[in-house]
Amino acid sequence: MPAIRPGARGAVISGWGTALPEKIVTNDELAATMDTSDEWIQARTGIKERRIGGTTIGLSVDSGRQALEMAGLEPSRIDALVLSTTTPDWQWGNAAAVQNELDLFCGAFDVNAACSGFVYALVTAHGLVAMGADRVLVIGTDTLSRITDWDDRATAPLFADGSGAVVIESVDGPGQLLGWDLDADGSALPILQADVGGTIKMEGQEVFRRAVRIMVDSAEKSMLHAGVHPEEVKLVVPHQANIRIIQAACDRLGIPIERAAVVIDTTGNTSSASIPLAMADALETGRVQNGDLLLLVGFGGGMTAASCVLRWGGGVE
Ligand code: COA
């Protein structure tokens, strides 16, 4: 992937929001319906409970509205809406439905790069800013519970529902995006797949093995483009698929897991929502200050991978 051209118009995140369904499903509740246990799920995945329910459009409206409010923006000031989801409510027009409900007057389109989708959407939004957009709303939402086989113990404990959103706004000085990487390897599509209208089928161990490799590879490319070394990264915001994947990727990157944002214990794998949910949690618990370097890195079906390095608050001058 190319490096950012010097002088490209940049942006900063000026607001964020999250939405989770009210219904909590614990591991013990799952164990009441299938041959599994809280102990197994926690030990193999790090997940204790997950949220189930809602629609992709409804959750997106909730997180998107919060992000607009935090940014202090009237809806009419948004120039574009990018909605990342791999579980659309409709074949098309999901972003447009969110645009309508939020009273936006702008272009709106869906992006689907599975669990890498939020970073794909965020990088795309920065591209729109580089081409003249001033304010872009980026939402990552998935309702994976609707495509989960609830009789399959190999997948059911993993997947869940949620949404996260950010507003990015153009800035005069250096923007926040220092480096990015978008990657895909379609030869690995069969190991993690869902037919249209079907449920998730997965070769768990193979996905695990490749996930660590492609996360590390993508993260290293973004850091290289950004001119950033792992020890300078204040916070890694990884896709929340499995705590053991996060641990293995951090180990290989040489970044202590204490510097990772982790919410998987309470959210499960929410696909497009997992990175913005983890980032919002870190922001709200005071883990990020202006000038800090963040490394966002995701992987998912396709297989896809995506990462970017952000300097929180933009350039420090
Ligand atoms: N409860 C109890 N036992 C289970 C189980 C469950 N929910 N799911 C599988 N098992 C059993 C298996 O049948 C197997 O039994 P056996 O040894 O008698 O054959 C044993 O546990 C080990 O299964 P295995 O598949 O080797 O476990 P694992 O350590 O690889 O963990 C995953 C399974 C799915 C948690 C793990 O492979 C993983 O997270 N992979 C990546 C998945 C992912 O991230 N997908 C989304 C990408 S965006």
Side-chain angles (χ1 to χ4, degrees), residues 35-37 40-41 44-45 115 153-154 157-159 192 202 204-205 207-208 239 241-242 244-245 269 299-301:
D35 184 14
T36 189
S37 66
W40 192 96
I41 298 170
R44 300 289 176 126
T45 71
C115 303
R153 71 174 185 170
L158 304 177
F159 301 115
L192 177 56
M202 181 181 77
Q205 287 186 3
V207 170
F208 192 118
H239 172 45
N242 185 321
R244 294 187 297 138
I245 293 176
N269 180 346
F299 70 93

Side-chain angles (χ1 to χ4, degrees), residues 215-246:
M215 276 175 93
V216 170
D217 183 59
S218 183
E220 285 177 341
K221 285 181 190 155
S222 280
M223 286 192 287
L224 184 70
H225 288 319
V228 161
H229 297 286
E231 58 273 18
E232 297 172 271
V233 172
K234 177 78 185 301
L235 186 76
V236 185
V237 189
H239 172 45
Q240 312 281 305
N242 185 321
I243 191 67
R244 294 187 297 138
I245 293 176
I246 295 173

Side-chain angles (χ1 to χ4, degrees), residues 3 177-180 221-228 293 309-311:
L177 184 67
L178 306 187
W180 57 276
K221 285 181 190 155
S222 280
M223 286 192 287
L224 184 70
H225 288 319
V228 161
L293 292 172
V309 175
L310 304 179
R311 185 183 296 283

Side-chain angles (χ1 to χ4, degrees), residues 233-238 250 253 255-256 259-261 293-297:
V233 172
K234 177 78 185 301
L235 186 76
V236 185
V237 189
C250 283
L253 287 168
I255 300 176
R259 281 198 262 145
L293 292 172
L294 275 60
L295 170 63
L296 278 50
V297 56

